Amino acid sequence: MPPRAPPDTRGGGGGRGGRGGGRGGPRGGPPPRGGPRGGPPQAGPAGGRSTPSGPSALPGTHVQAVGVKRPGYGTAGRAVTVFSNFFKVSLPESVIHHYDVISPEDKVLPARLNMDLIHHLQTIDAVDVFTPRAVYDGRKNLFAARELPFGPQNSQQACSFDFDVCLSDDPNRGSPGENTGGRGPKVYKIRLTKVATINPEVLQRFIEGQQSHDNSVLTALTALNVVVRMEPTMKYPFNVRSFFTNRETKDIGSGLVLWRGYFQSVRPAIGQLLINVDISTGTMYKPGSLMDLCLEFFGRPGQHAVLSPRNGLPDRERIRLQRFVSGIRIRTTYAGENKSPRVVKKLSNAGAADLSFTLRDGTSRTVAQYFQTILNRPLRFPNNLCVEVGSGALIPLELCTVPEGQIMRKQVPPEKTKDVLEFATKRPADRLASITNGLSVLQYGQSEYVRQFGMHVEDTAGPLTVRARVLQPPKLKYGPGSAQTTITPANGAWNMIDKRFFKPAAIERWIVVIYERQQRFNQQSAQDMIDGLLRSFKDVGIRVADDKPMVTWQNGQGRIADQLRTAGSKTRPQLIVVVLPENGNDIYTAVKHFGDVTVGVATQCLKGQKCFRAKPQYYANVCLKINVKLGGINTIPDPQSVTILTDPRNPTIVMGADVIHPAPGSDGRPSFTALVGNVDSDSAKYIATSRVQASRVEIIEDLKDMAKHVLTMYMKYRQFAEKKTGNLAPSRLIFFRDGVSEGQFQQVLDSELKSLQGKYACAELKINPKITIIIVAKRHHVRFFPSGSGPSEQDKSGNCLAGTVVDQVVAHPTEFDWYLQSHGGLLGTSRPAHYNVLYDESAFSADGLQSLSFALCHVYARSTRSVSIPAPVYYADIVCSRAKNHYDPQGTVNFSETATQLDSGQAEGTLEAYKRGFRPLHANMASLMYFS
């Protein structure tokens, strides 16, 4: 038996990750109590038929929904036809039997092992019971097309049955240890219990808008999804709703290989059941030698001594490697390929020649000596690391291989993001062709599971055609002195030529601090940059009193805060322009902490490489950010274009909220929340507040206090900046929420709605606005493709035109939702945003909310293009991602990738430590768009 590692503290760490909690499958949870949500009676149909079924049906009056029931369909805009990545699927012909799967003796097993156990049970151990075969989700649910014959009817056995399953047919083969203790093969106990019979008729009523969403609908949709996924998940590596094949791969280095995959999900639509098919990308560990994989991770292929602690491998790098390989399945070359794969738990602290263990006879040997006896030859690299596998055995790296097709479930290294995007990006026509070709991999018609459940996917008919509309963009207003004060964007884009900001800022004093080496960015480069900025300031209307700012060069290895404080001590600047070197992320964080948190001064960071001989367009884009950081307003939507927002009788505040979660494997890291809201009457000037909360909690815990802050700032701005009199409070509050999966909609209503209304934020401020809550989702796989090739059908990138909205055919059968592609395409296939109205006391029409959402996509201050989601939500996402700037760079909280967060004894690994370390925004910045 291989030597065992002594118990010690676990290493590891983790880098900050992106938003978690992507969109789930069908909505979960019980139906809401009482009548439909939404306050006053809903607005009547807007262009929709009120027939009980069909592609434009409205839900029945008796039907309850999680959110607001669809009041009608939009009619505004120019009608077009688009293709979608949906295919029609028929409902099953007969009832489905639902069983609960329990492994009583074991902890939670990996989904792949569970699948293998059920496959073994169906094909070898109990073929008679499982004919035809059942489908299984890898966790708790098994569905059968006929009732499984466990025993005589009306007996206790008829409802539940226990099976013993052993994956080994070789009696001499052991469990993950080496079987020297005489143990036989591992036997797993599996209990199946009948829990329900599912009648597909509930789905038929649901898609016709005549059935409320309840657990029977949820379970039926889950069953159909398990049916269509069963065949590919038995053949290929899978990840929740996607599976991956090695038909199309790309080696991106660092021990990673990208595989093309396919996503599929059965979804209810208006009057029909559809299957959503899309391409996806899987990041896999490179198969082959584990030692070669580790060397590729360090970018040192062939340099085997790199993996030797004795030769100077830093512990920090060992922990970074450990984070990368932990959880990977390996095979051992010395024991034959029929052995079960083992799971890497961690890396040893020392090489095989320096790790000793005690044998049963009391003698001591090193790991290297042990394997010399086993192999009958010495190790080639005795000083290199060993892996500790799940059983506790230590195995030298050189004796391990990595099987093909293992998904890397950690955050992709930042330097590899570009490679992933290049592989994942496909132009619309190519993506649609790839999806259509992928049907040959999915092979719905060949799947025994799809056939035996009586389902049929209409894949030969091609992608579903959908009716859409292209909305008219809002007009935008610029300031006096512009050649044109009012402009209309063309396909989501416009420019700043001959335009002045609606409200330009003024700069009295500013300084420039350069962290590039003076040899690379000299005095002339600095002057060119200053001249470029001054010209752009003049063009856009920003008044500058000082045309000769002080310039200093600093060393990025020093204390950034002290350097900036010294540089600005004489002039007390309003603006610090900082020139960063390549890979200057740490300097950037320190600059933002100094400016936004410590002293309250606007900072603008530029990359030296980009502003070296930069064109006027570059500095014009920089001015977009500087102006709003200093309190200016770049542009506003023309009041006539968005009457919902600008109606003086109904002052409206628009909020955007988001939560960002740590990356997979970043144990102990918290989640960060953000709330952004407008303070002006034109919905163009926003403020933000941010908080820390428990890791991976999606509901915003401090929303009451955050909302009170934003509402108070809104009323103060109306009183002191806009000089409004009378009632300063908003009469409408429109709350856009990002990042919530469909299964969490009810939680948003139960928690976040309560935080805004009732006895909470609004009540404490003695105001009573009508509240509308809209969920904005980008993490879905719905795509639309132009059906024609002319400029009236598609943009230059081949995507649908900005303003394309779809609220029929593929939308939800009962709830108020729509898809809006609000931005022009640049690269690849644009993703529409999916909007769900959860609560609406203002009884807005479909046209009203769709045009409002589209207009808010045009007030994003950092660009002269419409963006993919409303600006307040986009800002909230940015504020979340900048939350680490609130921590002192010289403090104890470590956000680096190699930070060891797994030891719960360390204070910085606790939520309390993160909350203590989180410094609030400086008062000077509270009313400014510092996040732009």
Side-chain angles (χ1 to χ4, degrees):
M1 165 171 265
R4 308 269 163 182
D8 64 356
T9 57
R10 298 167 65 197
R16 208 202 113 263
R19 178 187 307 130
R23 295 176 59 77
R27 295 181 174 88
R33 296 175 294 280
R37 300 256 180 197
Q42 306 284 319
R49 300 195 304 273
S50 57
T51 51
S53 63
S56 297
L58 291 175
T61 54
H62 65 286
V63 172
Q64 293 182 337
V66 176
V68 176
K69 284 199 297 186
R70 187 181 302 282
Y73 295 92
T75 57
R78 176 173 59 85
V80 294
T81 300
V82 296
F83 293 124
S84 67
N85 57 341
F86 285 94
F87 300 85
K88 290 185 181 179
V89 58
S90 64
L91 283 160
E93 297 167 352
S94 56
V95 297
I96 298 171
H97 302 274
H98 180 198
Y99 295 84
D100 190 26
V101 182
I102 303 173
S103 301
E105 296 178 6
D106 287 295
K107 57 184 179 181
V108 177
L109 299 175
R112 172 56 74 191
L113 176 57
N114 286 335
M115 297 294 291
D116 290 344
L117 288 169
I118 294 296
H119 180 70
H120 198 279
L121 176 64
Q122 295 199 95
T123 57
I124 296 174
D125 292 344
V127 178
D128 292 344
V129 174
F130 296 97
T131 302
R133 293 181 197 170
V135 297
Y136 176 48
D137 70 353
R139 291 297 175 206
K140 294 280 290 177
N141 299 296
L142 183 139
F143 301 97
R146 67 157 188 162
E147 188 160 14
L148 301 180
F150 290 157
Q153 295 297 319
N154 303 320
S155 73
Q156 185 65 35
Q157 291 175 315
C159 295
S160 185
F161 201 82
D162 292 346
F163 297 91
D164 291 337
V165 182
C166 169
L167 290 179
S168 173
D169 300 317
D170 177 4
N172 298 314
R173 179 178 154 196
S175 62
E178 292 303 312
N179 197 24
T180 54
R183 289 174 296 175
K186 171 73 174 177
V187 176
Y188 296 89
K189 289 192 176 296
I190 296 175
R191 175 176 296 159
L192 297 185
T193 304
K194 177 82 176 284
V195 290
T197 300
I198 302 164
N199 188 342
E201 179 61 29
V202 299
L203 271 184
Q204 184 63 45
R205 292 199 301 271
F206 181 62
I207 60 180
E208 289 174 352
Q210 300 303 306
Q211 162 89 29
S212 300
H213 189 285
D214 56 19
N215 280 334
S216 65
V217 172
L218 174 67
T219 308
L221 285 170
T222 300
L224 301 194
N225 273 301
V226 176
V227 170
V228 299
R229 291 171 191 154
M230 186 68 182
E231 187 92 16
T233 52
M234 294 307 300
K235 292 181 181 177
Y236 306 106
F238 64 92
N239 185 7
V240 192
R241 292 175 294 280
S242 291
F243 67 91
F244 307 95
T245 80
N246 58 3
R247 288 185 174 192
E248 188 181 348
T249 64
K250 179 183 180 182
D251 188 336
I252 60 171
S254 295
L256 299 174
V257 180
L258 302 178
W259 283 26
R260 180 73 67 216
Y262 297 92
F263 167 93
Q264 51 181 349
S265 176
V266 176
R267 295 189 65 84
I270 300 170
Q272 58 193 335
L273 200 62
L274 302 174
I275 187 162
N276 179 209
V277 180
D278 194 21
I279 58 173
S280 57
T281 300
T283 308
M284 306 288 181
Y285 289 106
K286 188 174 183 178
S289 160
L290 178 59
M291 183 174 286
D292 290 346
L293 178 81
C294 294
L295 291 171
E296 280 210 26
F297 174 76
F298 284 135
R300 308 277 290 277
Q303 302 177 38
H304 299 97
V306 167
L307 299 172
S308 165
R310 189 187 285 186
N311 288 349
L313 173 67
D315 199 51
R316 171 173 190 225
E317 290 295 275
R318 182 188 66 82
I319 291 173
R320 195 164 71 89
L321 176 62
Q322 178 173 273
R323 286 192 62 249
F324 178 66
V325 299
S326 61
I328 195 171
R329 284 179 291 119
I330 53 130
R331 293 186 185 275
T332 49
T333 56
Y334 65 91
E337 287 301 319
N338 63 335
K339 298 296 291 182
S340 294
R342 297 138 178 253
V343 177
V344 173
K345 190 162 66 174
K346 63 182 187 179
L347 296 175
S348 61
N349 294 317
D354 298 317
L355 288 168
S356 298
F357 66 101
T358 304
L359 297 172
R360 289 174 183 165
D361 60 7
T363 59
S364 179
R365 300 176 77 182
T366 67
V367 175
Q369 289 168 342
Y370 172 85
F371 278 100
Q372 182 169 351
T373 304
I374 293 288
L375 301 170
N376 203 24
R377 65 167 176 81
L379 292 174
R380 291 179 60 206
F381 307 104
N383 296 325
N384 283 8
L385 296 169
C386 298
V387 295
E388 182 183 329
V389 294
S391 62
L394 288 165
I395 305 170
L397 284 178
E398 66 182 84
L399 301 180
C400 304
T401 62
V402 180
E404 185 181 56
Q406 291 192 64
I407 301 172
M408 201 274 293
R409 302 181 190 274
K410 303 178 178 72
Q411 188 179 26
V412 175
E415 66 273 13
K416 296 297 174 187
T417 304
K418 183 181 177 184
D419 296 306
V420 176
L421 288 175
E422 285 177 355
F423 182 76
T425 299
K426 278 183 178 286
R427 287 176 59 85
D430 297 333
R431 190 183 192 97
L432 186 57
S434 189
I435 290 167
T436 307
N437 295 337
L439 296 173
S440 64
V441 180
L442 293 160
Q443 292 184 318
Y444 293 118
Q446 308 301 314
S447 168
E448 62 169 303
Y449 304 103
V450 172
R451 288 202 311 272
Q452 72 198 20
F453 277 82
M455 295 170 65
H456 174 67
V457 179
E458 295 183 22
D459 48 6
T460 55
L464 192 65
T465 302
V466 178
R467 289 177 305 205
R469 292 168 288 116
V470 180
L471 300 180
Q472 187 71 20
K475 290 183 170 61
L476 301 176
K477 290 186 72 173
Y478 278 91
S482 304
Q484 240 182 318
T485 54
T486 304
I487 60 113
T488 302
N491 194 36
W494 63 101
N495 60 54
M496 282 296 299
I497 297 173
D498 294 330
K499 296 181 186 67
R500 292 183 170 233
F501 289 144
F502 181 78
K503 181 187 170 188
I507 303 173
E508 298 295 331
R509 300 170 305 280
W510 60 304
I511 62 171
V512 176
V513 181
I514 301 171
Y515 284 96
E516 271 280 21
R517 288 184 295 116
Q518 196 157 356
Q519 298 93 312
R520 286 172 59 97
F521 201 85
N522 58 26
Q523 186 70 48
Q524 186 58 50
S525 301
Q527 191 57 52
D528 290 345
M529 179 199 71
I530 292 167
D531 292 343
L533 280 171
L534 289 170
R535 278 192 296 271
S536 285
F537 287 155
K538 183 180 178 183
D539 290 344
V540 298
I542 294 177
R543 186 178 60 80
V544 183
D546 180 9
D547 62 357
K548 290 185 173 58
M550 187 181 77
V551 181
T552 61
W553 277 260
Q554 299 289 349
N555 181 354
Q557 302 301 314
R559 290 179 66 93
I560 307 299
D562 293 345
Q563 294 167 348
L564 295 176
R565 187 175 281 108
T566 301
S569 58
K570 293 181 181 177
T571 56
R572 298 189 66 80
Q574 293 168 274
L575 171 69
I576 304 175
V577 175
V578 178
V579 179
L580 297 175
E582 283 300 303
N583 303 314
N585 293 343
D586 291 343
I587 303 173
Y588 174 86
T589 301
V591 168
K592 291 301 173 185
H593 182 80
F594 177 81
D596 297 344
V597 176
T598 307
V599 298
V601 63
T603 55
Q604 180 60 55
C605 293
L606 309 175
K607 280 191 175 178
Q609 198 173 4
K610 285 197 172 181
C611 57
F612 184 70
R613 295 180 181 170
K615 294 180 179 177
Q617 179 65 48
Y618 173 77
Y619 292 114
N621 289 338
V622 172
C623 286
L624 293 172
K625 303 175 76 173
I626 290 176
N627 189 54
V628 294
K629 285 177 182 176
L630 295 172
I633 298 174
N634 294 351
T635 183
I636 65 166
D638 182 64
Q640 301 303 315
S641 296
V642 276
T643 51
I644 287 178
L645 290 177
T646 56
D647 180 359
R649 296 164 300 174
N650 288 297
T652 302
I653 184 169
V654 182
M655 294 184 181
D658 195 11
V659 181
I660 197 166
H661 302 297
S666 301
D667 297 340
R669 297 284 174 83
S671 293
F672 294 105
T673 63
L675 181 68
V676 173
N678 67 298
V679 291
D680 66 326
S681 299
D682 298 306
S683 304
K685 183 179 174 67
Y686 292 83
I687 62 156
T689 182
S690 182
R691 297 284 195 281
V692 190
Q693 69 180 31
S695 183
R696 306 188 199 288
V697 173
E698 182 57 50
I699 298 303
I700 301 174
E701 295 171 350
D702 293 333
L703 183 60
K704 184 191 83 168
D705 291 338
M706 297 165 79
K708 273 181 66 179
H709 169 74
V710 173
L711 285 163
T712 302
M713 296 292 283
Y714 172 87
M715 291 187 285
K716 283 183 178 178
Y717 189 88
R718 281 173 60 80
Q719 180 179 4
F720 298 112
E722 296 184 340
K723 309 298 184 188
K724 303 284 186 184
T725 56
N727 184 18
L728 303 172
S731 60
R732 293 190 295 215
L733 190 163
I734 301 175
F735 183 81
F736 285 95
R737 179 67 159 88
D738 193 10
V740 180
S741 65
E742 292 176 339
Q744 295 168 315
F745 286 180
Q746 190 65 49
Q747 287 176 263
V748 172
L749 288 168
D750 293 342
S751 177
E752 296 186 3
L753 173 61
K754 185 189 290 185
S755 295
L756 293 172
Q757 63 172 189
K759 301 174 183 177
Y760 294 88
C762 290
E764 288 184 14
L765 293 171
K766 296 182 171 54
I767 62 175
N768 188 30
K770 292 181 177 180
I771 296 174
T772 300
I773 296 180
I774 304 172
I775 305 296
V776 188
K778 288 281 286 179
R779 297 200 163 211
H780 60 79
H781 283 267
V782 176
R783 301 289 186 276
F784 299 115
F785 308 88
S787 60
S789 57
S792 63
E793 299 278 346
Q794 64 174 247
D795 62 18
K796 291 178 182 177
S797 69
N799 279 287
C800 294
L801 299 171
T804 299
V805 65
V806 173
D807 63 359
Q808 300 195 35
V809 184
V810 299
H812 194 274
T814 60
E815 301 194 359
F816 189 5
D817 75 331
W818 67 90
Y819 294 92
L820 172 61
Q821 197 159 302
S822 53
H823 57 300
L826 289 174
L827 292 171
T829 305
S830 298
R831 184 190 334 224
H834 186 202
Y835 296 78
N836 281 270
V837 184
L838 286 198
Y839 192 83
D840 183 19
E841 291 179 329
S842 293
F844 287 121
S845 68
D847 279 332
L849 284 182
Q850 288 166 13
S851 64
L852 162 73
S853 303
F854 188 39
L856 287 170
C857 294
H858 289 77
V859 296
Y860 182 64
R862 291 164 54 153
S863 72
T864 54
R865 299 180 66 88
S866 58
V867 289
S868 57
I869 54 179
V873 190
Y874 209 129
Y875 290 143
D877 182 63
I878 294 170
V879 173
C880 277
S881 65
R882 290 172 54 125
K884 66 180 181 182
N885 298 346
H886 287 261
Y887 292 92
D888 184 353
Q890 304 297 323
T892 58
V893 175
N894 190 347
F895 281 93
S896 69
E897 191 179 302
T898 54
T900 304
Q901 295 294 344
L902 297 178
D903 185 355
S904 59
Q906 295 181 345
E908 61 264 31
T910 66
L911 178 62
E912 291 71 28
Y914 277 105
K915 285 189 174 181
R916 282 197 306 272
F918 189 86
R919 297 284 177 262
L921 199 64
H922 193 280
N924 292 356
M925 312 304 287
S927 60
L928 301 173
M929 293 174 65
Y930 69 94
F931 46 83
S932 180

